[in-house]
């Protein structure tokens, strides 16, 4: 069994971060989202991975390499433009051959991995197996309709009027029959080859399409709010570890990780939080659910429920929360602006001004 990992999307909802970085490499708890997916694939006993890459191919390849660091053998498959998930399957045909495969969206995050799902698929080997989860607003997802027996009878891509609240999670398992289905469909109104249409083709052809409704945690990390939420979830499982230097004037409370080479000076860190290697936190407060990457400088500031990427500097700005701060960013106080009042007052006026 192989894996097909999609890492070619533009990440428009994470701009401006993704103007200069691949969305799959934005870190949560100081590790790229993509790495969690690759680790899940390796844990499921899959070693051969085809990775779909686009405009950020060089950055993805530099970060992942040949896959040996994950126990994987990775082959890169270029996609000229992001033309849909089914298009990714189409261009990976030669690599996938006649093997079963799991398709994993590189910006998705699933707590607990995919081992149980892969084992179930290997044991039963339906033509396709999809993951579903209940969401508050299904209009932004592929949506599944089930019958009274829990069988999949219909799929829609981002419908205006969803028939259920069951959204497709970004993990799919297929036998080679999917290749005929992706060749049989035409582009949607978005100009893409939708994987939901290909799976619907299988359903219409009476293929064996099964679903698993997951109750655990899943996020599509396509926007800042979801990135911060995934960061929170990962940090909740953090184990306390202090490898860096914490001076006597500082305090670390709870599940705090201070990486080797980091320094905490006259500051208070309340976990769960992680401070990356080479980072200096001085005269500051770092609150829960905060990840600070390597080689950052946090001085005379407060930071909570945020992600700070490498080489960023935050100096003397009071309190920051619910924020995603990019690489090499400098955050400093704005210059003071003299206050003034401009008045046109009639005769015998009385005016009170707060100063």
């Amino acid at each position: 069994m192989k894996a097909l990992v999609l890492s070619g999307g533009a990440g428009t909802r994470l701009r401006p971060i993704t103007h200069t970085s691949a969305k799959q490499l934005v870190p949560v708890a100081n590790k790229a989202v993509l790495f969690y997916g690759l680790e899940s694939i390796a844990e499921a006993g899959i070693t051969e991975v085809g990775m779909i890459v686009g405009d950020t191919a060089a950055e993805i390849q530099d970060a992942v390499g040949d896959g040996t660091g994950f126990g994987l053998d990775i082959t890169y498959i270029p996609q000229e433009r992001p033309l849909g998930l089914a298009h990714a399957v189409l261009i990976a045909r030669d690599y996938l051959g006649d093997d079963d495969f799991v398709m994993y969206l590189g910006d998705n995050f699933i707590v607990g991995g995919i081992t149980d799902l892969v084992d179930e698929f290997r044991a039963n080997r339906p033509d396709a197996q999809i993951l579903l989860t209940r969401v508050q607003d299904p209009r932004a997802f592929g949506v599944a309709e089930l019958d009274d027996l829990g069988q999949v009878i219909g799929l829609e891509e981002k419908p205006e009027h969803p028939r259920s609240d069951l959204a497709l999670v970004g993990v799919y398992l297929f036998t080679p029959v999917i290749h005929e289905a992706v060749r049989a469909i035409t582009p949607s109104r978005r100009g893409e080859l939708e994987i939901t249409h290909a799976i619907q083709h299988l359903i219409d052809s009476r293929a064996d399409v099964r679903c698993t409704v997951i109750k655990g945690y899943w996020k599509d990390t396509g926007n800042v709010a979801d990135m911060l939420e995934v960061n929170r979830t990962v940090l909740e499982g953090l184990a306390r570890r202090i490898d860096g230097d914490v001076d006597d004037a500082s305090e670390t409370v709870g599940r705090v990780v201070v990486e080797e080479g980091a320094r905490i000076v006259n500051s208070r860190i309340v976990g769960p939080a992680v401070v990356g290697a080479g980072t200096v936190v001085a005269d500051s407060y770092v609150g829960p659910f905060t990840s600070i990457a390597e080689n950052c400088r946090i001085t005379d500031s407060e930071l909570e429920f945020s992600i700070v990427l490498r080489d960023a500097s935050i100096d003397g700005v009071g309190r920051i929360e619910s924020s995603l701060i990019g690489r090499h960013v400098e955050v400093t106080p704005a210059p003071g602006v003299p206050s003034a009042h401009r008045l046109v007052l009639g005769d015998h006026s009385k005016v009170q001004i707060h100063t």
Side-chain angles (χ1 to χ4, degrees), residues 57-215:
E59 188 181 6
I60 297 286
Q61 288 180 253
D62 184 60
V64 176
D66 62 4
T68 53
F70 303 91
L72 302 171
D73 179 11
I74 292 181
T75 299
Y76 293 96
I77 303 169
Q79 186 181 37
E80 184 176 333
R81 287 187 297 138
L83 296 174
L85 305 188
H87 181 260
V89 176
L90 194 67
I91 64 174
R93 179 68 177 93
D94 290 343
Y95 172 78
L96 294 169
D98 292 326
D99 293 316
D100 296 347
F101 66 98
V102 55
M103 183 168 74
Y104 197 114
L105 274 58
D107 59 352
N108 275 224
F109 183 88
I110 301 175
V111 170
I114 61 171
T115 299
D116 291 345
L117 176 71
V118 171
D119 289 345
E120 179 184 351
F121 179 81
R122 283 172 164 153
N124 300 314
R125 203 167 178 265
D127 295 310
Q129 187 163 343
I130 58 177
L131 257 67
L132 305 174
T133 192
R134 299 191 183 279
V135 297
Q136 287 188 339
D137 186 1
R139 292 174 298 175
F141 303 95
V143 177
E145 182 182 5
L146 309 184
D147 64 15
D148 293 339
L149 299 176
Q151 300 296 312
V152 185
I153 57 175
L155 298 173
E156 298 177 284
E157 186 63 32
K158 297 180 174 62
E160 288 188 21
H161 305 287
R163 298 175 184 173
S164 80
D165 62 352
L166 291 169
L168 275 76
V169 173
V171 177
Y172 310 78
L173 296 106
F174 297 115
T175 64
V177 298
I178 191 64
H179 297 299
E180 179 184 348
V182 298
R183 290 195 302 269
I185 62 175
T186 57
S188 66
R189 63 180 183 276
R190 302 192 303 162
E192 297 185 3
L193 291 175
E194 311 285 2
I195 197 65
T196 47
H197 293 178
I199 299 171
Q200 184 66 53
H201 179 83
L202 293 179
I203 295 170
D204 295 341
S205 302
R206 299 184 180 276
D208 185 4
V209 177
R210 304 185 188 181
C211 68
T212 300
V213 179
I214 63 171
K215 297 180 181 179

